[in-house]
Amino acid sequence: HASLQENVSDAVIVTDTEFRIQSWNRAAERIYGWRAEEIIGKVTAEILDTEFLFPADRERNLQQLHSQGWWQGEVIQHHKDGTSRTILASVTLIKDSAGTAVSVIAVNRNITARKRAEGALHTREERFRHYFELGLMGMAIIAPTTAMLEVNDALCTIFGYDRSELLHTLWAELIHPDDRATDIAQFNQILAGNSDGYTSEQRCLNKAGQVIHIAIAVKCQRRENGSVEY
């Protein structure tokens, strides 16, 4: 058990029932910057300056720990140098054979990088959403089947359809029959992984059947395995 505790990548912290640190593994030293000899006997929440999303969470989590014997959630804790870490904490209450609580084991994972990446992705998505809804040009999110997953008002105006009509229309159906094969071939190059996008000028048909000339730019979003998401 001691060997396992010292070789895992997560911080393993053993405390008494007052949360005074009794054991502090090497991963804890890496995550928090404190050596074991510096922190043994200290109270975790005080030395790590633990922050919960809401002040009431601390008491609620303590109640769950004592009533159910475990608690898991995200907290903000701090490195020795004062910088913050987002931690996924899994806390278990240890009882003796008589059912008396004797210690607490916390297995803490540093998820700071993941949370930052999620935050950056959210920011990019919000910017895209704002641009999408701004309506400076017609925009659509299209599935690999060419079904339209989402369209903006500007695209509805260009083609003369309302949103619900376009969302029940394949992109290929909007293209002039004489230009459709070329566009489908370019689209298939994306699906095959030979291209991530293309630009072109082509003829389309609006709801009234009139020919309209458009310049389009297509860019794909791929999943981790390389397949096209949209």
Side-chain angles (χ1 to χ4, degrees):
H1 287 168
S3 176
L4 177 63
Q5 179 176 318
E6 287 304 316
N7 288 285
V8 296
S9 58
D10 295 336
V12 179
I13 305 167
V14 181
T15 74
D16 63 18
T17 55
E18 299 299 320
F19 301 103
R20 287 185 295 267
I21 299 168
Q22 299 176 329
S23 176
W24 182 263
N25 71 344
R26 274 178 265 187
E29 293 184 347
R30 290 194 300 271
I31 291 171
Y32 298 107
W34 297 93
R35 297 192 307 278
E37 57 268 28
E38 296 178 291
I39 205 166
I40 297 297
K42 304 287 180 64
V43 176
T44 53
E46 294 176 359
I47 198 71
L48 301 178
D49 192 19
T50 302
E51 300 175 13
F52 292 88
L53 183 60
F54 300 104
D57 284 352
R58 177 177 174 80
E59 290 305 317
R60 185 162 45 247
N61 297 339
L62 282 173
Q63 290 174 5
Q64 180 180 327
L65 179 64
H66 286 289
S67 64
Q68 300 183 28
W70 66 276
W71 172 80
Q72 183 180 75
E74 294 181 11
V75 296
I76 301 296
Q77 294 182 324
H78 292 79
H79 190 274
K80 184 179 180 180
D81 64 11
T83 57
S84 63
R85 303 282 187 273
T86 304
I87 300 296
L88 176 61
S90 300
V91 185
T92 303
L93 187 66
I94 305 300
K95 298 181 180 181
D96 62 16
S97 57
T100 302
V102 294
S103 62
V104 177
I105 298 178
V107 179
N108 293 355
R109 176 165 298 176
N110 184 3
I111 59 172
T112 306
R114 191 190 83 193
K115 298 298 286 187
R116 286 176 180 165
E118 290 174 353
L121 177 60
H122 177 72
T123 298
R124 290 196 299 272
E125 289 176 342
E126 285 298 308
R127 288 174 180 167
F128 173 75
R129 172 61 54 194
H130 174 73
Y131 185 64
F132 190 88
E133 294 176 348
L134 195 58
L136 297 177
M137 62 181 66
M139 300 181 71
I141 298 175
I142 301 174
T145 60
T146 81
M148 283 183 277
L149 304 175
E150 196 164 351
V151 297
N152 68 354
D153 290 340
L155 195 74
C156 295
T157 300
I158 289 171
F159 285 99
Y161 291 94
D162 63 34
R163 190 182 305 273
S164 62
E165 290 174 319
L166 279 181
L167 293 178
H168 288 86
T169 303
L170 298 180
W171 170 254
E173 294 172 353
L174 299 175
I175 301 171
H176 191 285
D178 293 343
D179 294 348
R180 194 170 295 163
T182 299
D183 187 78
I184 290 175
Q186 291 175 306
F187 197 88
N188 286 340
Q189 286 297 304
I190 293 177
L191 298 182
N194 299 323
S195 168
D196 281 334
Y198 61 91
T199 60
S200 68
E201 293 184 2
Q202 58 194 26
R203 295 169 295 173
C204 290
L205 299 174
N206 65 15
K207 185 176 180 178
Q210 299 167 324
V211 176
I212 57 175
H213 296 263
I214 65 169
I216 68 170
V218 179
K219 179 71 176 177
C220 77
Q221 174 68 36
R222 295 190 184 277
R223 300 184 180 88
E224 289 186 4
N225 64 7
S227 65
V228 175
E229 183 175 5
Y230 57 82

